[in-house]
Amino acid sequence: MALIVHKYGGTSMGSTDRIKNVAARVAKWHDAGHQIVVVPSAMSGETNRLIGLAKAIMDQPDPRELDMIASTGEQVSVGLLAMALLAIGKDAVSYTGWQVGIRTDSSFTKARIQSIDDSRVRSDLEAGKIVIITGFQGVDEQGNISTLGRGGSDTSAVAIAAALKADECLIYTDVDGVYTTDPRVVDEARRLEKITFEEMLELASLGSKVLQTRSVEFAGNYQVPTRVLSSLTDPLMPLAEEANSGTLISFEEETNMEQAVISGIAFHRDEAKITVLGVPDKPGVAFHILGPVSDANIEVDMIIQNQSVDGKTDFTFTVSRGDYQRALAVLESQKDVLGYTRVVGDAKVSKVSAVGVGMRSHVGVASQMFRTLADENINIMMISTSEIKISVLIDEKYMELAVRALHKAFDLEKA
Ligand code: ASP
Ligand code: MG
């Protein structure tokens, strides 16, 4: 017998028929002798609808009241799923976040989980019940309802699995796993059977955002074995087969020499780069340029400072394309303070990254990546690296070509 947390996304919970399918699948796992906790999202489209209602009343909805409204989608889901289970003769009970002590901080609309009181859930499980807990929501110290940010049910599920020391957290979703790259860009993209949580963090941009990034951090920090798998299969498929499907996010690194060096090629299409030319090179330059940008809540990704010439330097950084104009405006407003000559930018750039823990033990990955891009005549504008990732910034026009060429160069189409 194992303790297993199932998480079902909005699509999986999208209609009453689909909820009945979820119930059938959950019942199958329970019948096999496992203790099951289910964490569902709101029915697809529901959270958007609720936020829309709030915005129709108030342009910038009050965050506390917005969470009061947005959290209700999940409350409907858990009740419906509990009924679907009761209707087929299973003993099930549903709870909201506050009823099982999912304590968060008070940053409404993006709250962080601080603790979970597992006593009530444990005693229900001991009594043989299937326990269903709302995803996405919690309660702060003052008893206010909070939500964890869009896509937050993934984080709820992994956090609940961590608190209960579950044997595995199964994230059922509308894709059948994590791929070597977006199959819409590369036909030969392949599903990975296993990936480390560090790689998963780096690949979070792949295809449809498979998991909320914070849930992956949680899985890593608390060592929760987490599997992404499809909810669109036959709910009655053999359990052993289902248990091995999808992609397992693990925290063990393969020592297997056969393991591919690179696990996947990730990309961010919508990037922009900004160069501040002729800034006096003195202590605090980077801080004075990037401080105001970050105060404006703009996230900076890649950064390069050039060698200085005659006491002046050029400073280049990237932001997501949606923040480009705002970042330019911030720099414009700082012109006198910064004393630069000119600001130039390019909002038609993309980032392509090769990711793999194998890089730690293999040399030559960077040179192979650069050779592949050179062979395709693709110019590299910026490079950044981490222990398990190499990223390049290139002209947006060549992004798909670069992804395809790298996928091939690193043999990712081969199992
Ligand atoms: N229902 C919430 C959302 O749409 C949380 C989730 O689905 O994970 O963002
Ligand atoms: Mg989701």
Side-chain angles (χ1 to χ4, degrees):
M1 182 190 73
L3 197 171
I4 297 174
V5 174
H6 283 201
K7 185 261 171 180
Y8 292 91
T11 315
S12 319
M13 296 291 294
S15 65
T16 47
D17 280 337
R18 291 203 172 160
I19 292 174
K20 287 180 190 167
N21 274 338
V22 169
R25 194 183 294 279
V26 168
K28 173 181 76 183
W29 280 80
H30 192 256
D31 289 341
H34 300 302
Q35 293 186 324
I36 305 291
V37 175
V38 190
V39 181
S41 293
M43 296 170 80
S44 57
E46 183 61 10
T47 310
N48 287 344
R49 188 185 74 86
L50 294 165
I51 294 173
L53 288 175
K55 289 194 170 153
I57 300 271
M58 198 176 183
D59 281 345
Q60 302 271 345
D62 176 82
R64 179 192 181 278
E65 302 309 328
L66 184 58
D67 277 358
M68 179 64 102
I69 296 161
S71 61
T72 61
E74 271 70 10
Q75 188 168 335
V76 173
S77 286
V78 291
L80 289 173
L81 181 56
M83 284 189 212
L85 282 159
L86 292 169
I88 55 172
K90 301 299 290 183
D91 197 2
V93 58
S94 68
Y95 295 114
T96 59
W98 66 267
Q99 288 177 310
V100 288
I102 300 185
R103 176 62 67 75
T104 72
D105 62 19
S106 305
S107 330
F108 298 112
T109 75
K110 47 177 186 300
R112 286 184 170 265
I113 295 180
Q114 291 173 330
S115 62
I116 297 179
D117 173 7
D118 65 359
S119 48
R120 191 165 185 177
V121 179
R122 277 198 190 282
S123 60
D124 283 340
L125 289 174
E126 298 300 321
K129 291 185 185 168
I130 295 168
V131 181
I132 307 164
I133 305 173
T134 47
F136 186 49
Q137 56 165 273
V139 61
D140 76 359
E141 212 178 330
Q142 286 74 43
N144 300 300
I145 290 174
S146 56
T147 70
L148 310 181
R150 299 309 304 270
S153 300
D154 295 333
T155 302
S156 306
V158 177
I160 289 168
L164 292 168
K165 302 196 172 50
D167 295 287
E168 205 166 287
C169 181
L170 303 181
I171 311 263
Y172 288 89
T173 178
D174 50 358
V175 294
D176 64 355
V178 180
Y179 278 70
T180 49
T181 194
D182 188 339
R184 285 169 299 191
V185 173
V186 181
D187 288 340
E188 294 79 21
R190 197 170 43 82
R191 179 174 58 80
L192 293 160
E193 278 180 17
K194 225 174 174 187
I195 187 171
T196 69
F197 78 89
E198 286 174 288
E199 290 172 323
M200 186 63 197
L201 276 178
E202 300 284 12
L203 291 173
S205 69
L206 278 186
S208 52
K209 275 214 157 188
V210 184
L211 285 182
Q212 198 195 34
T213 308
R214 222 195 291 162
S215 71
V216 184
E217 289 166 6
F218 231 106
N221 291 343
Y222 292 90
Q223 310 238 309
V224 183
T226 301
R227 183 182 291 276
V228 177
L229 68 173
S230 173
S231 69
L232 305 176
T233 53
D234 175 2
L236 298 180
M237 81 190 264
L239 192 141
E241 194 185 318
E242 184 171 315
N244 283 305
S245 64
T247 301
L248 177 68
I249 302 167
S250 69
F251 28 84
E252 304 143 23
E253 281 182 22
E254 290 289 340
T255 40
N256 180 358
M257 299 298 286
E258 299 296 307
Q259 173 86 357
V261 179
I262 297 299
S263 299
I265 308 295
F267 55 83
H268 284 261
R269 205 182 289 271
D270 299 326
E271 298 283 295
K273 103 179 142 115
I274 296 176
T275 303
V276 187
L277 292 160
V279 244
D281 189 10
K282 54 181 191 215
V285 189
F287 171 65
H288 286 116
I289 293 175
L290 298 181
V293 174
S294 109
D295 290 345
N297 234 323
I298 297 172
E299 222 176 290
V300 170
D301 181 20
M302 302 167 106
I303 303 172
I304 292 181
Q305 184 179 336
N306 289 3
Q307 191 64 267
S308 67
V309 177
D310 301 332
K312 302 237 174 196
T313 187
D314 303 331
F315 193 92
T316 305
F317 61 93
T318 64
V319 297
S320 36
R321 201 168 295 166
D323 288 330
Y324 178 60
Q325 292 301 340
R326 247 169 13 99
L328 287 178
V330 169
L331 292 172
E332 184 57 42
S333 73
Q334 299 292 311
K335 189 164 200 306
D336 293 343
V337 191
L338 294 170
Y340 57 75
T341 333
R342 211 151 55 92
V343 172
V344 294
D346 184 348
K348 289 212 154 78
V349 293
S350 301
K351 183 172 80 166
V352 176
S353 312
V355 176
V357 289
M359 266 184 227
R360 290 202 178 111
S361 49
H362 285 77
V363 291
V365 176
S367 66
Q368 183 170 1
M369 180 166 185
F370 303 152
R371 184 182 337 116
T372 305
L373 296 172
D375 287 348
E376 298 293 341
N377 244 318
I378 298 171
N379 186 43
I380 299 173
M381 301 171 181
M382 286 173 91
I383 300 170
S384 77
T385 62
S386 80
E387 232 191 327
I388 64 160
K389 179 176 79 165
I390 303 172
S391 303
V392 294
L393 194 74
I394 58 174
D395 188 323
E396 150 187 271
K397 281 206 289 285
Y398 304 121
M399 193 205 76
E400 305 210 343
L401 174 62
V403 173
R404 277 196 290 269
L406 292 168
H407 195 269
K408 196 163 179 46
F410 288 111
D411 280 338
L412 289 173
E413 73 270 28
K414 298 192 191 121

